[in-house]
Amino acid sequence: MHSSRRIRRLLIGLSAVLGVVGVADSASARDYISIVGSSTVYPFATVVAENFGKTTRYKTPKIESTGSGGGLKLFCAGVGVRYPDITNSSRAIKSSEVKNCKKNGVTEIIEVKIGYDGIAVANSKKGGKLDIARKDLFLALAKHVPDPGGAKGLVANPYKTWRDVNKSLPNVKIEVLGPPPTSGTRDAFVELALEGGCNEIDWIKAMKKTDKKRYKAVCHTVREDGAYVEAGENDNLIVQKLIANPNALGVFGFSFLDQNSDKVQGSKIDGVSPEFETIADGSYPVSRPLFFYVKKAHVGTIPGMKEYLAEFTSEKAWGEDGYLSDRGLIPMPATERRQFAQSAKKLQAMN
Amino acid sequence: METGTFPTQGGRKPLGIIQAGLAKRKAAETRFKTYGIVAIAAGLVFLAILFISIVGNAYTAFQQTQVKLDLYLDPDVIDPEGTRDLDVLSGANYAAIVRSGLQDQFPDVESRRDRRALNALVGRGATYDLRATVMAVPDLVGETLTVWVPADDDVDMLLKGNIDREAAEEGRRLSDQQLAWIDQLESRGRLAKRFNADFFTKGDSREPESAGIRGAVVGSFYTMLVTLLLSFPLGVAAAVYLEEFAPQNRFTDIIEVNINNLAAVPSIVFGLLGLAVFINFFGLPRSVPLVGGLVLTLMTLPTIIIASRATLKAVPPSIREAALGVGASQLQTVVLHVLPLAMPGMLTGAIIGMARALGETAPLLMIGMVAFIVDIPQGILDPATALPVQIFLWADSPERAFVERTSAATLVLLFFLIVMNALAVVLRKRFERRW
């Protein structure tokens, strides 16, 4: 029919337009840095990016918050303007990810450690300040715990109140608000706090060598009977819920504790309060290093890469009094800072 | 059956039966009406709660605490060589100028520690603003500007009552000394809450005091433009073909069923499709309004097609028959007679579809439009976010001052949605014809 031919022509025309746009764009260079990765590093990377964009002639980098794993996947997908230049990560890159990168031609990766992040277990200031051991956290939050009767074996977590777990803790129902399994904060909390507590029970620790799978299942599985409440990725929401419910504890990043220190307080873990200094010197046990990874092949192709690296690794950004520490990033010791700043400057790739 | 009387039942008079049941039936009706009223009232109460909480949180965001400073644009600091080269002006230490402007207010503050605390009262936004001003008019170097610069978000929160003055000093984000400085500045008339124009004229920022929604609004505009330009012609063409030309057979039936199904597909699926097709296959860049518009086109197309077909169906056959009867071709009939009559209804459908697309975040997540983007997009190939995405990002920021901005941005989004829906209603009221 006459008109259907016309519609067909219209469709062909439209797809041709799309095709042309696509080709035209992938051929031209990108003039801004594209960054993906961890939602924990996001609040720090964005501050650097904004400062970089507003104090140099370069465009402000674009930063997507995709999570560490998602970011590394995008990062490793290939070399070229279509792929991101930098990925932020709240954990070190895994060997499987390095392999995947290599397979796609991303061979030279520069690793930059930027500092530390503490994970706070906090409650409302209306409640008392707690001193919890990592072992208590494990016993209170794991799905299966050693038989409280003393027999060597696991039972479904029977503990209802903190006093059941440890006599020195208050007689308050166990109620912990924390991030869901998709979050890097949750991974780190489970790994550092729960597994840390797990390791204080000798026969479970011994299992690590004999039955690693079972060891992981025991130490990494969080109870699902309502004592641990998955409160979503939004840490602000957790803070608000803590204020409304002084008996509840919340698990979130140190920067949220820092911003809300008038309303919530961080519990001591193994006797150490989550403070700037204790996280920096490593005495606070639930802290982790943060990184970003740079695709060396893109330095020189994408404008401003070197300058962005210089900005991030400058003392005014990540130093003791730098603007990132105002945002809650815990700086590395001076020697470590110097070392990573040097390797970033020399564009030294990992091996 | 006898005529003239009602049949009797169990020897009772028919009127008695009716009256006996009447009270019960009336009660049932009253109950039913009450349920309806309760349902509507509950809906209204929730709407009121939503609006009150959003407006209650949002209205403070339209004001921003600012500090009046006399800034001497020292040539030795900005441009020691006097070249007025833009590269030099761009990299100059404007923070130092803002700092010295603030220290002029408190000349007796000496120690480094105290100076740091004092400097913290003015946000970094002031530095960025000053740089932009000097870059625009390099001749200002050497002069003294008296300007209102945004105060730090903590100061702003204090003046808006979101930081408790009475709280213990270690838990408060402002020290006693800083509170004293703030009070002094206020008494000198150099610290006040003023209209927050930055909120409407600036892009995103990690400094709450200089974060604005313009980047997101412009991004939404470009995305909607692409969506409208693609989905309206395509949707109308598809609807006209299916309704006026297509033969009725199994093939067109399958198409029809599929269009109806597509309208019910969750929006995140379109995002995944967009990622696979437009970004991975066609190689379009991530995070650009073009791709966002394409994805939202896929999402709105079914809505537009269904609405357009419904309005075409509503045009009475007599119009078509009259046109065909005087010798018009099928195409002439459709283009000259049916389409103009159906157009208002189609536009209404398109606007409703667009309003839904404007509020979407899920499909944009997959194609990288959920990102921190400071620069205002200049076209459909610049990276951009959209308004709902901006709300989502701010809601997740640690700084307390973003709470009110989140609500304010929500208010702006609601305003656009109401305007679009009102436009749809007006179009329908004015141009729709009933037969």
Side-chain angles (χ1 to χ4, degrees):
Chain A
M1 236 178 285
H2 178 70
S3 53
S4 73
R5 203 179 306 139
R6 185 176 279 203
I7 288 167
R8 203 178 308 146
R9 213 179 294 154
L10 182 76
L11 284 177
I12 292 169
L14 273 172
S15 43
V17 168
L18 284 183
V20 168
V21 168
V23 170
D25 195 83
S26 49
S28 73
R30 176 155 51 76
D31 61 350
Y32 55 89
I33 302 172
S34 169
I35 303 172
V36 292
S38 162
S39 54
T40 312
V41 185
Y42 175 87
F44 307 126
T46 44
V47 177
V48 177
E50 185 177 5
N51 206 43
F52 168 76
K54 286 186 174 160
T55 52
T56 63
R57 302 289 304 276
Y58 299 102
K59 282 197 174 174
T60 311
K62 176 195 88 185
I63 305 184
E64 283 179 59
S65 164
T66 61
S68 302
L72 279 159
K73 206 168 145 196
L74 285 167
F75 180 79
C76 287
V79 172
V81 286
R82 278 175 59 191
Y83 305 102
D85 314 311
I86 294 174
T87 186
N88 300 320
S89 181
S90 56
R91 56 169 172 77
I93 191 168
K94 292 178 190 162
S95 58
S96 61
E97 285 161 339
V98 174
K99 224 178 269 168
N100 184 33
C101 260
K102 276 223 171 83
K103 204 180 75 199
N104 293 322
V106 184
T107 47
E108 287 187 297
I109 305 169
I110 304 159
E111 179 179 62
V112 183
K113 188 167 155 189
I114 59 169
Y116 297 92
D117 177 39
I119 295 170
V121 178
N123 66 341
S124 162
K125 282 215 151 167
K126 283 177 248 161
K129 190 166 166 124
L130 297 178
D131 184 351
I132 315 174
R134 275 183 291 174
K135 189 176 165 192
D136 300 336
L137 280 174
F138 168 70
L139 292 177
L141 295 176
K143 192 169 182 187
H144 297 285
V145 293
D147 193 340
K152 194 172 162 184
L154 292 168
V155 293
N157 196 328
Y159 302 114
K160 295 263 180 284
T161 69
W162 287 101
R163 176 150 302 165
D164 294 346
V165 174
N166 184 338
K167 294 229 156 27
S168 64
L169 290 171
N171 190 14
V172 172
K173 204 180 113 204
I174 299 173
E175 192 180 0
V176 177
L177 307 165
T182 46
S183 149
T185 311
R186 160 80 169 258
D187 288 348
F189 177 70
V190 166
E191 221 159 88
L192 296 163
L194 299 196
E195 197 179 329
C198 218
N199 282 335
E200 283 171 35
I201 301 163
D202 292 332
W203 65 272
I204 298 185
K205 195 179 177 188
M207 207 156 69
K208 190 172 185 178
K209 290 199 183 97
T210 53
D211 189 352
K212 202 167 178 192
K213 221 169 168 183
R214 177 131 183 271
Y215 166 82
K216 260 202 143 165
V218 172
C219 295
H220 285 204
T221 312
V222 174
R223 69 198 283 188
E224 285 158 352
D225 55 358
Y228 182 90
V229 186
E230 279 171 14
E233 293 265 16
N234 190 330
D235 290 353
N236 274 330
L237 211 63
I238 297 182
V239 172
Q240 278 168 26
K241 283 181 179 164
L242 290 184
I243 295 165
N245 178 2
N247 286 330
L249 289 179
V251 176
F252 44 79
F254 176 75
S255 48
F256 283 83
L257 178 67
D258 193 35
Q259 288 282 340
N260 293 290
S261 51
D262 55 339
K263 291 181 178 161
V264 292
Q265 57 192 353
S267 310
K268 285 184 180 176
I269 307 278
D270 291 346
V272 185
S273 285
E275 270 152 28
F276 212 85
E277 294 76 19
T278 57
I279 299 171
D281 65 18
S283 57
Y284 183 72
V286 197
S287 74
R288 57 177 162 173
L290 304 175
F291 301 89
F292 68 86
Y293 294 92
V294 184
K295 215 175 269 177
K296 195 174 173 183
H298 284 194
V299 180
T301 330
I302 307 292
M305 294 270 290
K306 267 188 188 163
E307 290 77 3
Y308 176 78
L309 280 177
E311 172 77 33
F312 213 131
T313 58
S314 68
E315 281 297 306
K316 72 173 171 169
W318 72 359
E320 312 269 346
D321 295 328
Y323 56 74
L324 288 176
S325 74
D326 293 341
R327 300 301 179 129
L329 179 78
I330 318 290
M332 296 179 283
T335 47
E336 218 177 349
R337 285 205 301 273
R338 216 171 302 130
Q339 176 203 330
F340 276 102
Q342 274 302 317
S343 71
K345 200 172 171 198
K346 286 190 209 140
L347 302 173
Q348 213 166 55
M350 313 165 42
N351 18 12
Chain B
M1 206 203 279
E2 294 170 51
T3 52
T5 52
F6 290 105
T8 53
Q9 208 177 11
R12 283 165 65 186
K13 286 266 170 0
L15 201 63
I17 299 171
I18 292 171
Q19 275 171 341
L22 202 58
K24 216 174 147 192
R25 282 159 58 196
K26 272 195 172 155
E29 193 178 325
T30 322
R31 261 202 315 277
F32 188 77
K33 277 196 211 155
T34 322
Y35 294 153
I37 292 171
V38 168
I40 292 175
L44 285 178
V45 167
F46 285 127
L47 190 70
I49 292 174
L50 175 80
F51 263 92
I52 290 170
S53 78
I54 290 180
V55 173
N57 272 326
Y59 78 97
T60 47
F62 297 113
Q63 282 197 322
Q64 161 72 36
T65 308
Q66 295 181 338
V67 187
K68 191 159 92 175
L69 294 180
D70 306 315
L71 301 177
Y72 173 53
L73 300 177
D74 191 345
D76 290 341
V77 174
I78 299 177
D79 188 11
E81 319 252 305
T83 55
R84 298 291 184 270
D85 182 34
L86 280 183
D87 272 324
V88 176
L89 293 183
S90 158
N93 188 0
Y94 294 100
I97 292 174
V98 175
R99 279 203 297 266
S100 68
L102 188 60
Q103 271 151 18
D104 287 348
Q105 296 297 319
F106 300 98
D108 46 332
V109 176
E110 290 286 332
S111 80
R112 188 169 170 273
R113 205 186 157 76
D114 285 349
R115 283 192 168 196
R116 253 181 85 83
L118 179 62
N119 294 336
L121 297 184
V122 171
R124 296 182 79 83
T127 314
Y128 302 148
D129 286 353
L130 185 64
R131 171 176 177 264
T133 314
V134 174
M135 297 274 287
V137 191
D139 289 340
L140 285 175
V141 176
E143 301 197 10
T144 300
L145 293 179
T146 302
V147 281
W148 285 91
V149 299
D152 189 65
D153 52 316
D154 288 331
V155 179
D156 191 38
M157 287 295 101
L158 178 81
L159 259 75
K160 287 171 180 169
N162 292 336
I163 288 181
D164 185 8
R165 262 172 187 271
E166 309 304 324
E169 188 176 6
E170 13 84 48
R172 211 188 311 127
R173 288 193 57 80
L174 292 164
S175 68
D176 290 341
Q177 176 68 70
Q178 285 174 313
L179 289 186
W181 286 326
I182 292 168
D183 292 340
Q184 281 183 46
L185 280 173
E186 213 173 355
S187 65
R188 288 181 211 163
R190 284 186 171 265
L191 188 95
K193 279 191 281 183
R194 290 159 55 91
F195 176 65
N196 187 3
D198 287 351
F199 184 72
F200 298 100
T201 58
K202 285 197 170 158
D204 194 8
S205 169
R206 289 281 293 126
E207 314 294 332
E209 66 271 10
S210 52
I213 55 167
R214 176 142 167 244
V217 169
V218 173
S220 268
F221 170 76
Y222 283 128
T223 311
M224 288 297 114
L225 191 71
V226 173
T227 309
L228 183 68
L229 289 182
L230 288 175
S231 66
F232 190 63
L234 280 179
V236 169
V240 168
Y241 178 72
L242 285 173
E243 202 55 45
E244 304 287 332
F245 297 98
Q248 272 289 319
N249 57 27
R250 178 164 295 184
F251 182 64
T252 48
D253 280 351
I254 290 177
I255 290 185
E256 194 171 335
V257 169
N258 276 313
I259 289 175
N260 289 333
N261 279 340
L262 270 185
V265 167
S267 56
I268 186 90
V269 176
F270 290 107
L272 285 166
L273 185 74
L275 175 68
V277 174
F278 301 124
I279 295 182
N280 290 345
F281 183 72
F282 280 111
L284 293 177
R286 280 176 75 85
S287 323
V288 299
L290 174 65
V291 178
L294 285 168
V295 167
L296 294 178
T297 299
L298 296 179
M299 205 190 80
T300 33
L301 254 184
T303 317
I304 294 184
I305 294 177
I306 291 169
S308 301
R309 290 189 68 179
T311 45
L312 283 171
K313 266 201 193 97
V315 176
S318 56
I319 306 262
R320 296 185 185 84
E321 280 153 17
L324 292 172
V326 296
S329 73
Q330 178 117 9
L331 184 67
Q332 285 171 324
T333 308
V334 170
V335 172
L336 300 176
H337 299 279
V338 179
L339 258 190
L341 289 171
M343 203 40 96
M346 292 177 166
L347 280 175
T348 309
I351 292 171
I352 302 285
M354 299 290 289
R356 194 186 142 204
L358 179 65
E360 277 295 341
T361 7
L364 303 182
L365 191 71
M366 303 310 301
I367 54 162
M369 284 182 81
V370 179
F372 176 71
I373 290 158
V374 174
D375 301 329
I376 313 278
Q378 303 294 324
I380 57 168
L381 285 172
D382 275 356
T385 55
L387 252 183
V389 172
Q390 190 67 76
I391 294 167
F392 170 75
L393 288 173
W394 282 351
D396 214 11
S397 300
E399 289 80 11
R400 198 169 296 168
F402 275 120
V403 174
E404 53 171 31
R405 279 168 172 76
T406 307
S407 295
T410 312
L411 210 58
V412 173
L413 180 64
L414 280 177
F415 170 77
F416 281 123
L417 291 178
I418 289 171
V419 166
M420 284 172 86
N421 283 320
L423 192 68
V425 171
V426 168
L427 273 176
R428 194 158 56 215
K429 279 256 150 36
R430 288 199 101 178
F431 298 106
E432 193 174 53
R433 284 181 59 178
R434 297 196 173 276
W435 286 284

